Amino acid sequence: MNEISDFSSLTALFQTGLAKESGDLPDARGSHTTVQKLTPGSIGPSAAAAKTLLSSSSTMPASKDIWDDVEVDEAAVDVHDPRPQPEYKLTYRQKVTSEDMYLQMSGKTPGIHDSDEVVVTIDLPGVQFSDIVLTCTETSLDMRCPKYKLLLHFPRTVRDQDGQATWNKSRSQLVVAMPIKPDFM
């Protein structure tokens, strides 16, 4: 009794849009059904159905743009600002104790995922500290001054209220250290 229902289920499964093969086979009840061939090409919609889906889709942009306007951060696109981007270096800092170094008890690795801070060192030759405007959010750093501009997106989410910026006058460098938010928070 179970075999008949299983066979009829299989027959119904094979009759759902697969390419038909010539020939009839009897099913469990003795009637003849058409056998259909399962091939890799029969997976998914047919070519005709795919063409109608593509032609009827009105959401496809006419241009070859990669992103839509809503997907681009307006602050990231500043076409009319001729100021160059200064040289900068983004590094990660890890707080390490003697247990980490010698006994390796904390489970920390030298990888980025175990880092505690993101440190951005920006070289600003010929710039005075009073001319710098620095804005930090959880995801980005925006530095502006009369000679340079820099918009940098952090690879990980940071705690923007706990960051620290220092100015090295002899090197004309701005060093910004931002603590990384743990992934589980």
Side-chain angles (χ1 to χ4, degrees):
M1 184 151 69
N2 235 359
E3 296 172 13
I4 294 173
S5 65
D6 290 344
F7 185 76
S8 62
S9 298
L10 277 174
T11 305
L13 177 67
F14 283 119
Q15 291 176 354
T16 56
L18 300 175
K20 292 187 177 182
E21 185 180 308
S22 62
D24 288 339
L25 288 179
D27 63 5
R29 287 171 263 160
S31 62
H32 289 276
T33 59
T34 304
V35 177
Q36 298 173 348
K37 183 178 179 184
L38 180 63
T39 64
S42 61
I43 297 173
S46 65
K51 284 182 182 178
T52 58
L53 280 175
L54 287 176
S55 64
S56 66
S57 174
S58 62
T59 59
M60 297 295 287
S63 67
K64 293 185 178 183
D65 291 343
I66 297 173
W67 294 286
D68 292 335
D69 291 337
V70 292
E71 295 175 320
V72 177
D73 185 14
E74 288 182 17
V77 179
D78 201 0
V79 180
H80 304 293
D81 193 350
R83 293 179 289 181
Q85 179 175 320
E87 289 188 27
Y88 69 92
K89 182 172 66 172
L90 187 129
T91 56
Y92 294 93
R93 187 180 297 162
Q94 204 176 57
K95 295 177 182 164
V96 181
T97 62
S98 59
E99 287 88 9
D100 299 324
M101 290 295 296
Y102 299 110
L103 302 175
Q104 299 175 354
M105 292 177 66
S106 70
K108 283 189 176 183
T109 64
I112 296 170
H113 60 279
D114 284 333
S115 299
D116 297 315
E117 290 181 326
V118 175
V119 180
V120 182
T121 305
I122 308 168
D123 294 326
L124 299 167
V127 174
Q128 298 294 321
F129 176 69
S130 59
D131 295 336
I132 298 172
V133 176
L134 183 66
T135 307
C136 293
T137 65
E138 288 185 340
T139 58
S140 66
L141 175 139
D142 187 12
M143 189 281 312
R144 309 278 172 151
C145 65
K147 285 181 135 181
Y148 301 103
K149 67 172 169 109
L150 175 66
L151 178 65
L152 180 68
H153 292 277
F154 294 122
R156 296 184 56 196
T157 307
V158 297
R159 295 192 321 251
D160 56 339
Q161 300 299 319
D162 299 329
Q164 180 180 6
T166 56
W167 175 252
N168 187 337
K169 186 176 182 179
S170 63
R171 292 184 181 171
S172 293
Q173 281 185 340
L174 179 66
V175 179
V176 182
M178 303 292 289
I180 295 174
K181 270 189 180 178
D183 292 332
F184 54 85
M185 287 182 85

